[in-house]
mmCIF file of all heavy atoms in Angstrom:
data_model
loop_
_atom_site.group_PDB
_atom_site.id
_atom_site.type_symbol
_atom_site.label_atom_id
_atom_site.label_comp_id
_atom_site.label_asym_id
_atom_site.label_seq_id
_atom_site.Cartn_x
_atom_site.Cartn_y
_atom_site.Cartn_z
ATOM 1 N N ASP A 1 -115.595 -109.190 161.216
ATOM 2 C CA ASP A 1 -116.239 -110.454 160.876
ATOM 3 C C ASP A 1 -115.760 -110.920 159.511
ATOM 4 O O ASP A 1 -116.226 -110.461 158.483
ATOM 5 C CB ASP A 1 -117.762 -110.281 160.882
ATOM 6 C CG ASP A 1 -118.483 -111.596 160.649
ATOM 7 O OD1 ASP A 1 -117.822 -112.654 160.722
ATOM 8 O OD2 ASP A 1 -119.697 -111.553 160.401
ATOM 9 N N THR A 2 -114.786 -111.828 159.490
ATOM 10 C CA THR A 2 -114.250 -112.326 158.225
ATOM 11 C C THR A 2 -115.051 -113.502 157.690
ATOM 12 O O THR A 2 -114.799 -113.960 156.591
ATOM 13 C CB THR A 2 -112.782 -112.761 158.405
ATOM 14 O OG1 THR A 2 -112.710 -113.734 159.444
ATOM 15 C CG2 THR A 2 -111.903 -111.574 158.741
ATOM 16 N N SER A 3 -116.031 -113.978 158.448
ATOM 17 C CA SER A 3 -116.829 -115.111 157.979
ATOM 18 C C SER A 3 -117.819 -114.688 156.895
ATOM 19 O O SER A 3 -118.319 -115.516 156.153
ATOM 20 C CB SER A 3 -117.586 -115.746 159.155
ATOM 21 O OG SER A 3 -118.510 -114.807 159.674
ATOM 22 N N CYS A 4 -118.104 -113.415 156.803
ATOM 23 C CA CYS A 4 -119.052 -112.912 155.816
ATOM 24 C C CYS A 4 -118.258 -112.335 154.653
ATOM 25 O O CYS A 4 -117.801 -111.200 154.714
ATOM 26 C CB CYS A 4 -119.955 -111.862 156.447
ATOM 27 S SG CYS A 4 -121.154 -111.185 155.292
ATOM 28 N N ALA A 5 -118.095 -113.104 153.599
ATOM 29 C CA ALA A 5 -117.251 -112.686 152.478
ATOM 30 C C ALA A 5 -117.809 -111.465 151.758
ATOM 31 O O ALA A 5 -117.062 -110.614 151.300
ATOM 32 C CB ALA A 5 -117.096 -113.841 151.500
ATOM 33 N N GLY A 6 -119.123 -111.332 151.640
ATOM 34 C CA GLY A 6 -119.723 -110.231 150.902
ATOM 35 C C GLY A 6 -120.070 -109.031 151.756
ATOM 36 O O GLY A 6 -120.618 -108.054 151.244
ATOM 37 N N CYS A 7 -119.769 -109.055 153.059
ATOM 38 C CA CYS A 7 -120.186 -107.969 153.948
ATOM 39 C C CYS A 7 -119.443 -106.664 153.690
ATOM 40 O O CYS A 7 -119.989 -105.602 153.913
ATOM 41 C CB CYS A 7 -119.977 -108.366 155.407
ATOM 42 S SG CYS A 7 -121.136 -109.624 155.963
ATOM 43 N N ALA A 8 -118.224 -106.737 153.206
ATOM 44 C CA ALA A 8 -117.446 -105.518 153.011
ATOM 45 C C ALA A 8 -118.060 -104.626 151.944
ATOM 46 O O ALA A 8 -117.910 -103.421 151.986
ATOM 47 C CB ALA A 8 -116.010 -105.857 152.650
ATOM 48 N N GLY A 9 -118.769 -105.188 151.020
ATOM 49 C CA GLY A 9 -119.339 -104.389 149.956
ATOM 50 C C GLY A 9 -120.837 -104.194 150.072
ATOM 51 O O GLY A 9 -121.483 -103.854 149.100
ATOM 52 N N ASP A 10 -121.401 -104.378 151.248
ATOM 53 C CA ASP A 10 -122.856 -104.275 151.381
ATOM 54 C C ASP A 10 -123.355 -102.841 151.539
ATOM 55 O O ASP A 10 -124.543 -102.618 151.705
ATOM 56 C CB ASP A 10 -123.365 -105.152 152.523
ATOM 57 C CG ASP A 10 -122.912 -104.677 153.898
ATOM 58 O OD1 ASP A 10 -122.133 -103.719 153.961
ATOM 59 O OD2 ASP A 10 -123.339 -105.277 154.897
ATOM 60 N N GLY A 11 -122.483 -101.864 151.491
ATOM 61 C CA GLY A 11 -122.905 -100.473 151.551
ATOM 62 C C GLY A 11 -123.001 -99.901 152.949
ATOM 63 O O GLY A 11 -123.265 -98.718 153.102
ATOM 64 N N ALA A 12 -122.810 -100.701 153.984
ATOM 65 C CA ALA A 12 -122.883 -100.202 155.356
ATOM 66 C C ALA A 12 -121.602 -99.440 155.688
ATOM 67 O O ALA A 12 -120.508 -99.905 155.428
ATOM 68 C CB ALA A 12 -123.069 -101.350 156.329
ATOM 69 N N ILE A 13 -121.768 -98.247 156.249
ATOM 70 C CA ILE A 13 -120.614 -97.445 156.642
ATOM 71 C C ILE A 13 -120.413 -97.626 158.135
ATOM 72 O O ILE A 13 -121.337 -97.459 158.926
ATOM 73 C CB ILE A 13 -120.826 -95.971 156.281
ATOM 74 C CG1 ILE A 13 -121.002 -95.838 154.768
ATOM 75 C CG2 ILE A 13 -119.663 -95.127 156.754
ATOM 76 C CD1 ILE A 13 -121.300 -94.445 154.298
ATOM 77 N N LEU A 14 -119.201 -97.966 158.507
ATOM 78 C CA LEU A 14 -118.882 -98.250 159.901
ATOM 79 C C LEU A 14 -118.813 -96.962 160.725
ATOM 80 O O LEU A 14 -118.554 -95.881 160.181
ATOM 81 C CB LEU A 14 -117.570 -99.003 159.975
ATOM 82 C CG LEU A 14 -117.597 -100.355 159.252
ATOM 83 C CD1 LEU A 14 -116.206 -100.916 159.158
ATOM 84 C CD2 LEU A 14 -118.516 -101.315 159.981
ATOM 85 N N PRO A 15 -119.032 -97.070 162.043
ATOM 86 C CA PRO A 15 -119.046 -95.867 162.899
ATOM 87 C C PRO A 15 -117.757 -95.062 162.837
ATOM 88 O O PRO A 15 -117.802 -93.827 162.840
ATOM 89 C CB PRO A 15 -119.262 -96.432 164.306
ATOM 90 C CG PRO A 15 -119.885 -97.768 164.106
ATOM 91 C CD PRO A 15 -119.375 -98.274 162.793
ATOM 92 N N GLY A 16 -116.616 -95.722 162.783
ATOM 93 C CA GLY A 16 -115.346 -94.998 162.721
ATOM 94 C C GLY A 16 -115.213 -94.157 161.472
ATOM 95 O O GLY A 16 -114.675 -93.049 161.493
ATOM 96 N N VAL A 17 -115.730 -94.682 160.372
ATOM 97 C CA VAL A 17 -115.686 -93.930 159.121
ATOM 98 C C VAL A 17 -116.591 -92.701 159.217
ATOM 99 O O VAL A 17 -116.227 -91.614 158.762
ATOM 100 C CB VAL A 17 -116.095 -94.828 157.928
ATOM 101 C CG1 VAL A 17 -116.176 -94.026 156.647
ATOM 102 C CG2 VAL A 17 -115.121 -95.983 157.783
ATOM 103 N N TRP A 18 -117.772 -92.859 159.817
ATOM 104 C CA TRP A 18 -118.679 -91.728 160.013
ATOM 105 C C TRP A 18 -118.030 -90.654 160.872
ATOM 106 O O TRP A 18 -118.149 -89.461 160.597
ATOM 107 C CB TRP A 18 -119.990 -92.179 160.662
ATOM 108 C CG TRP A 18 -121.005 -92.664 159.694
ATOM 109 C CD1 TRP A 18 -121.466 -93.930 159.561
ATOM 110 C CD2 TRP A 18 -121.676 -91.902 158.692
ATOM 111 N NE1 TRP A 18 -122.387 -94.006 158.554
ATOM 112 C CE2 TRP A 18 -122.538 -92.764 157.996
ATOM 113 C CE3 TRP A 18 -121.635 -90.564 158.312
ATOM 114 C CZ2 TRP A 18 -123.342 -92.342 156.945
ATOM 115 C CZ3 TRP A 18 -122.442 -90.142 157.266
ATOM 116 C CH2 TRP A 18 -123.279 -91.026 156.603
ATOM 117 N N ILE A 19 -117.350 -91.059 161.934
ATOM 118 C CA ILE A 19 -116.701 -90.098 162.827
ATOM 119 C C ILE A 19 -115.643 -89.300 162.074
ATOM 120 O O ILE A 19 -115.564 -88.073 162.182
ATOM 121 C CB ILE A 19 -116.105 -90.821 164.057
ATOM 122 C CG1 ILE A 19 -117.235 -91.337 164.938
ATOM 123 C CG2 ILE A 19 -115.167 -89.895 164.831
ATOM 124 C CD1 ILE A 19 -116.784 -92.262 166.041
ATOM 125 N N LEU A 20 -114.832 -89.985 161.291
ATOM 126 C CA LEU A 20 -113.793 -89.304 160.525
ATOM 127 C C LEU A 20 -114.415 -88.396 159.463
ATOM 128 O O LEU A 20 -113.958 -87.273 159.237
ATOM 129 C CB LEU A 20 -112.859 -90.321 159.878
ATOM 130 C CG LEU A 20 -111.595 -89.773 159.247
ATOM 131 C CD1 LEU A 20 -110.791 -88.954 160.248
ATOM 132 C CD2 LEU A 20 -110.755 -90.910 158.696
ATOM 133 N N PHE A 21 -115.479 -88.848 158.824
ATOM 134 C CA PHE A 21 -116.191 -88.058 157.831
ATOM 135 C C PHE A 21 -116.732 -86.767 158.453
ATOM 136 O O PHE A 21 -116.582 -85.679 157.890
ATOM 137 C CB PHE A 21 -117.332 -88.906 157.259
ATOM 138 C CG PHE A 21 -118.128 -88.232 156.187
ATOM 139 C CD1 PHE A 21 -117.597 -88.059 154.916
ATOM 140 C CD2 PHE A 21 -119.408 -87.769 156.442
ATOM 141 C CE1 PHE A 21 -118.335 -87.444 153.915
ATOM 142 C CE2 PHE A 21 -120.159 -87.160 155.459
ATOM 143 C CZ PHE A 21 -119.611 -86.991 154.191
ATOM 144 N N ILE A 22 -117.323 -86.871 159.625
ATOM 145 C CA ILE A 22 -117.867 -85.695 160.321
ATOM 146 C C ILE A 22 -116.747 -84.733 160.719
ATOM 147 O O ILE A 22 -116.871 -83.517 160.563
ATOM 148 C CB ILE A 22 -118.708 -86.131 161.545
ATOM 149 C CG1 ILE A 22 -119.987 -86.821 161.061
ATOM 150 C CG2 ILE A 22 -119.031 -84.948 162.450
ATOM 151 C CD1 ILE A 22 -120.758 -87.534 162.146
ATOM 152 N N ALA A 23 -115.611 -85.275 161.212
ATOM 153 C CA ALA A 23 -114.483 -84.419 161.596
ATOM 154 C C ALA A 23 -113.953 -83.649 160.384
ATOM 155 O O ALA A 23 -113.661 -82.449 160.482
ATOM 156 C CB ALA A 23 -113.371 -85.264 162.215
ATOM 157 N N LEU A 24 -113.853 -84.309 159.252
ATOM 158 C CA LEU A 24 -113.359 -83.635 158.047
ATOM 159 C C LEU A 24 -114.342 -82.575 157.550
ATOM 160 O O LEU A 24 -113.925 -81.520 157.064
ATOM 161 C CB LEU A 24 -113.057 -84.658 156.962
ATOM 162 C CG LEU A 24 -111.855 -85.563 157.252
ATOM 163 C CD1 LEU A 24 -111.721 -86.631 156.175
ATOM 164 C CD2 LEU A 24 -110.574 -84.757 157.376
ATOM 165 N N TRP A 25 -115.641 -82.830 157.688
ATOM 166 C CA TRP A 25 -116.625 -81.825 157.291
ATOM 167 C C TRP A 25 -116.577 -80.619 158.222
ATOM 168 O O TRP A 25 -116.734 -79.483 157.784
ATOM 169 C CB TRP A 25 -118.038 -82.419 157.239
ATOM 170 C CG TRP A 25 -118.355 -82.896 155.868
ATOM 171 C CD1 TRP A 25 -118.420 -84.175 155.443
ATOM 172 C CD2 TRP A 25 -118.615 -82.096 154.713
ATOM 173 N NE1 TRP A 25 -118.708 -84.230 154.105
ATOM 174 C CE2 TRP A 25 -118.836 -82.954 153.626
ATOM 175 C CE3 TRP A 25 -118.681 -80.735 154.488
ATOM 176 C CZ2 TRP A 25 -119.108 -82.501 152.343
ATOM 177 C CZ3 TRP A 25 -118.961 -80.283 153.195
ATOM 178 C CH2 TRP A 25 -119.170 -81.164 152.154
ATOM 179 N N ILE A 26 -116.369 -80.850 159.503
ATOM 180 C CA ILE A 26 -116.237 -79.736 160.457
ATOM 181 C C ILE A 26 -115.035 -78.874 160.077
ATOM 182 O O ILE A 26 -115.103 -77.640 160.073
ATOM 183 C CB ILE A 26 -116.132 -80.251 161.901
ATOM 184 C CG1 ILE A 26 -117.467 -80.847 162.348
ATOM 185 C CG2 ILE A 26 -115.684 -79.146 162.853
ATOM 186 C CD1 ILE A 26 -117.396 -81.594 163.655
ATOM 187 N N ILE A 27 -113.928 -79.532 159.738
ATOM 188 C CA ILE A 27 -112.731 -78.793 159.328
ATOM 189 C C ILE A 27 -113.000 -78.020 158.046
ATOM 190 O O ILE A 27 -112.616 -76.856 157.915
ATOM 191 C CB ILE A 27 -111.537 -79.753 159.164
ATOM 192 C CG1 ILE A 27 -111.105 -80.281 160.532
ATOM 193 C CG2 ILE A 27 -110.368 -79.068 158.464
ATOM 194 C CD1 ILE A 27 -110.087 -81.401 160.471
ATOM 195 N N THR A 28 -113.668 -78.643 157.094
ATOM 196 C CA THR A 28 -113.952 -77.979 155.816
ATOM 197 C C THR A 28 -114.807 -76.728 156.012
ATOM 198 O O THR A 28 -114.482 -75.652 155.494
ATOM 199 C CB THR A 28 -114.676 -78.950 154.855
ATOM 200 O OG1 THR A 28 -113.838 -80.086 154.642
ATOM 201 C CG2 THR A 28 -114.996 -78.287 153.543
ATOM 202 N N ILE A 29 -115.874 -76.858 156.751
ATOM 203 C CA ILE A 29 -116.772 -75.720 156.973
ATOM 204 C C ILE A 29 -116.080 -74.632 157.796
ATOM 205 O O ILE A 29 -116.125 -73.451 157.461
ATOM 206 C CB ILE A 29 -118.076 -76.195 157.635
ATOM 207 C CG1 ILE A 29 -118.863 -77.077 156.656
ATOM 208 C CG2 ILE A 29 -118.922 -75.009 158.103
ATOM 209 C CD1 ILE A 29 -119.997 -77.845 157.284
ATOM 210 N N GLY A 30 -115.409 -75.037 158.866
ATOM 211 C CA GLY A 30 -114.714 -74.061 159.714
ATOM 212 C C GLY A 30 -113.577 -73.358 158.996
ATOM 213 O O GLY A 30 -113.375 -72.151 159.160
ATOM 214 N N ALA A 31 -112.829 -74.092 158.181
ATOM 215 C CA ALA A 31 -111.724 -73.481 157.439
ATOM 216 C C ALA A 31 -112.242 -72.510 156.389
ATOM 217 O O ALA A 31 -111.640 -71.453 156.161
ATOM 218 C CB ALA A 31 -110.870 -74.565 156.793
ATOM 219 N N THR A 32 -113.351 -72.835 155.758
ATOM 220 C CA THR A 32 -113.942 -71.921 154.778
ATOM 221 C C THR A 32 -114.399 -70.636 155.455
ATOM 222 O O THR A 32 -114.135 -69.529 154.952
ATOM 223 C CB THR A 32 -115.125 -72.602 154.058
ATOM 224 O OG1 THR A 32 -114.651 -73.789 153.420
ATOM 225 C CG2 THR A 32 -115.755 -71.676 153.039
ATOM 226 N N ILE A 33 -115.041 -70.760 156.599
ATOM 227 C CA ILE A 33 -115.481 -69.576 157.349
ATOM 228 C C ILE A 33 -114.271 -68.756 157.787
ATOM 229 O O ILE A 33 -114.269 -67.526 157.693
ATOM 230 C CB ILE A 33 -116.354 -69.987 158.546
ATOM 231 C CG1 ILE A 33 -117.683 -70.569 158.058
ATOM 232 C CG2 ILE A 33 -116.588 -68.800 159.489
ATOM 233 C CD1 ILE A 33 -118.507 -71.234 159.135
ATOM 234 N N THR A 34 -113.214 -69.423 158.250
ATOM 235 C CA THR A 34 -112.003 -68.729 158.687
ATOM 236 C C THR A 34 -111.365 -67.976 157.529
ATOM 237 O O THR A 34 -110.915 -66.834 157.698
ATOM 238 C CB THR A 34 -111.002 -69.726 159.297
ATOM 239 O OG1 THR A 34 -111.617 -70.352 160.414
ATOM 240 C CG2 THR A 34 -109.728 -69.038 159.741
ATOM 241 N N THR A 35 -111.305 -68.597 156.361
ATOM 242 C CA THR A 35 -110.733 -67.930 155.191
ATOM 243 C C THR A 35 -111.516 -66.666 154.865
ATOM 244 O O THR A 35 -110.936 -65.599 154.631
ATOM 245 C CB THR A 35 -110.726 -68.876 153.976
ATOM 246 O OG1 THR A 35 -109.944 -70.034 154.290
ATOM 247 C CG2 THR A 35 -110.161 -68.201 152.751
#
């Protein structure tokens, strides 16, 4: 939605970002346990 100029900075995290964040946390925790 490019019609909302201030929407990018409203603090809302998009679903794709959450998914990537969760995947990286899974890797971090699993890699630490593996080490």
Side-chain angles (χ1 to χ4, degrees):
D1 185 12
T2 56
S3 64
C4 180
C7 289
D10 67 356
I13 299 176
L14 299 170
V17 175
W18 274 113
I19 291 170
L20 190 55
F21 182 73
I22 291 168
L24 291 175
W25 267 106
I26 291 170
I27 291 171
T28 301
I29 293 167
T32 301
I33 292 169
T34 300
T35 300

